[in-house]
Amino acid sequence: MPHKNPNQNRPENSKNTENKPSRRYSIAPMLDWTDRYYRHFARTLSQHAWLYTEMVNTGAILHGDKMRHLRFHEIENPLALQLGGSDPSDLARAAKIAEDWGYDEVNLNVGCPSERVQSGSFGACLMAEPQLVADCVKAMRDAVSGIDITVKHRIGIDQVETYDYVRDFVGQVAQAGCQTFIVHARNAILKGLSPKENRDIPPLKYDYVYQLKRDFPQLEIIINGGITDHATALQHLQHVDGVMVGREAYHNPFALTEVDHLFYGEPLTEISREEAIRALRPFIEAELKAGTPLRFIARHILGLFQGQHGARNWRRMLSDSKLLKDANWSLIELALEQTQSRPQQVETQ
């Protein structure tokens, strides 16, 4: 009997398996950042961008609190669950659970370079075992019936920097039935660099990702890494099928209001930052009523006024632990008022 979704925010049989937008623009899975609070906020700014969860390891899903790790609101679709793991059987079981919960995609993490992840024998170190990755993909594909199984990976690991390495990896995993590869265009240095350093120090090699699309035209190739503006993202789309944006989408979320127009051809919708945050009010108040502290949500909206007058006041008020204690929507109203306040004029002689 199919798993019954205990998430009361979602109707049963609500899988979004048809009429999904393309992955022309997606927001990267980011640990501690792309939780359900951020994703709900992002979806109020773009209706078509693909959203990804934080990485969740298979053990947390199979043996942990499923509600905590899998719960989401129906407006978040299209939504992918990123899994960490290397056991085909466990990944297959977790993928089936994800399908039953209403996710549109399961993405296998073959790109995270952290030593903690390596100790669990998954993440970027799996690039050294393409046959195991292929076995994992096949097991997941066999377990689900209506959602996509995709892989996110690097272009190489450690000092292996030849294009042939990533080409052969993609070719072997594609034979197992994977049709979508999200490629972070940097090597992963497994020893000696932190995850943060791995996002900046290894050089970007976008040409490797472009070449993958030329060599595998039948596959969906999505580029990731160092993309910080829409103009650059649109240039990449001349060579690949989609772009995945990470930190920029988080730190400057208002830029998402242009995504549906620039990447999906929708009419440009004029919306102010104040209107954007007010659109989130029903969700925030529902969460507060359910017992969610405002700080869980507020940390994800700190960048809303980035580059604008009042941004510092906005961030200051919504990151103040004393103000956030037992706070409700009124704190956001006060913060909005502070974005309108003008600095005092300094008189000159």
Side-chain angles (χ1 to χ4, degrees):
M1 184 175 179
H3 168 79
K4 293 297 184 181
N5 182 355
N7 181 359
Q8 297 303 310
N9 287 327
R10 296 184 53 75
E12 293 186 15
N13 303 318
S14 60
K15 289 183 297 184
N16 181 22
T17 56
E18 297 181 357
N19 301 318
K20 294 177 291 187
S22 72
R23 296 182 186 84
R24 281 177 61 82
Y25 187 100
S26 57
I27 300 175
M30 293 176 280
L31 193 62
D32 295 326
W33 287 4
T34 52
D35 61 19
R36 66 185 184 89
Y37 307 116
Y38 169 75
R39 297 193 308 262
H40 199 113
F41 177 42
R43 181 59 74 219
T44 66
L45 304 174
S46 168
Q47 296 299 301
H48 297 314
W50 275 74
L51 304 180
Y52 285 72
T53 69
E54 308 166 84
M55 183 189 69
V56 183
N57 68 62
T58 54
I61 292 176
L62 299 180
H63 310 296
D65 184 344
K66 290 183 178 62
M67 176 67 81
R68 173 189 170 194
H69 294 293
L70 296 177
R71 179 185 177 193
F72 67 97
H73 194 284
E74 61 183 339
I75 76 161
E76 294 174 43
N77 293 98
L79 176 63
L81 172 68
Q82 188 184 62
L83 285 177
S86 59
D87 181 273
S89 176
D90 286 351
L91 284 165
R93 291 164 60 200
K96 178 57 179 169
I97 291 170
E99 181 177 41
D100 290 343
W101 272 66
Y103 284 89
D104 298 298
E105 171 192 334
V106 170
N107 176 260
L108 179 63
N109 185 321
V110 190
C112 181
S114 81
E115 293 189 9
R116 181 174 63 84
V117 166
Q118 293 177 54
S119 68
S121 300
F122 58 93
C125 63
L126 285 177
M127 285 201 72
E129 301 183 72
Q131 186 55 56
L132 176 57
V133 176
D135 292 343
C136 292
V137 166
K138 184 178 186 306
M140 288 190 287
R141 280 179 51 83
D142 289 346
V144 302
S145 59
I147 63 173
D148 298 327
I149 303 298
T150 69
V151 172
K152 187 175 188 294
H153 59 95
R154 297 282 185 128
I155 58 173
I157 52 176
D158 294 327
Q159 304 308 312
V160 180
E161 298 183 350
T162 64
Y163 168 73
D164 293 354
Y165 187 82
V166 67
R167 179 201 62 199
D168 293 347
F169 172 84
V170 168
Q172 190 164 349
V173 176
Q175 290 179 2
C178 183
Q179 294 293 307
T180 301
F181 292 82
I182 303 166
V183 190
H184 188 152
R186 286 188 173 96
N187 267 38
I189 307 302
L190 301 182
K191 300 291 183 181
L193 292 184
S194 69
K196 181 180 186 301
E197 291 169 330
N198 261 292
R199 293 194 297 266
D200 298 311
I201 293 177
L204 287 160
K205 298 182 179 180
Y206 294 135
D207 56 311
Y208 280 24
V209 189
Y210 298 168
Q211 187 62 46
L212 283 173
K213 183 59 186 178
R214 290 192 291 268
D215 289 345
F216 300 98
Q218 76 281 14
L219 299 179
E220 183 180 32
I221 303 295
I222 297 168
I223 197 166
N224 170 235
I227 302 170
T228 60
D229 60 83
H230 293 327
T232 300
L234 291 167
Q235 290 174 1
H236 284 310
L237 288 177
Q238 297 177 25
H239 306 278
V240 294
D241 300 298
V243 295
M244 176 176 275
V245 179
R247 286 166 287 171
E248 182 66 15
Y250 187 88
H251 292 306
N252 185 22
F254 195 70
L256 296 175
T257 60
E258 298 179 324
V259 164
D260 293 351
H261 173 63
L262 294 175
F263 296 88
Y264 295 95
E266 297 287 350
L268 181 62
T269 301
E270 297 290 343
I271 184 174
S272 69
R273 287 168 173 79
E274 182 175 341
E275 289 169 335
I277 197 62
R278 290 193 185 284
L280 199 63
R281 181 172 181 171
F283 171 73
I284 291 176
E285 293 196 324
E287 287 295 325
L288 293 173
K289 185 176 181 180
T292 301
L294 182 61
R295 68 179 186 275
F296 286 12
I297 303 170
R299 69 189 186 96
H300 297 303
I301 61 177
L302 295 179
L304 180 61
F305 285 87
Q306 179 171 305
Q308 303 296 304
H309 171 78
R312 181 178 297 179
N313 289 339
W314 174 260
R315 292 193 303 268
R316 176 181 56 80
M317 294 195 68
L318 295 181
S319 59
D320 187 313
S321 59
K322 292 182 179 179
L323 292 176
L324 284 166
K325 186 178 181 180
D326 301 323
N328 56 29
W329 175 260
S330 64
L331 179 62
I332 294 178
E333 291 286 355
L334 289 172
L336 283 171
E337 291 178 11
Q338 289 298 308
T339 65
Q340 304 301 319
S341 63
R342 295 287 177 182
Q344 293 182 350
Q345 295 295 322
V346 178
E347 293 186 4
T348 58
Q349 297 296 330

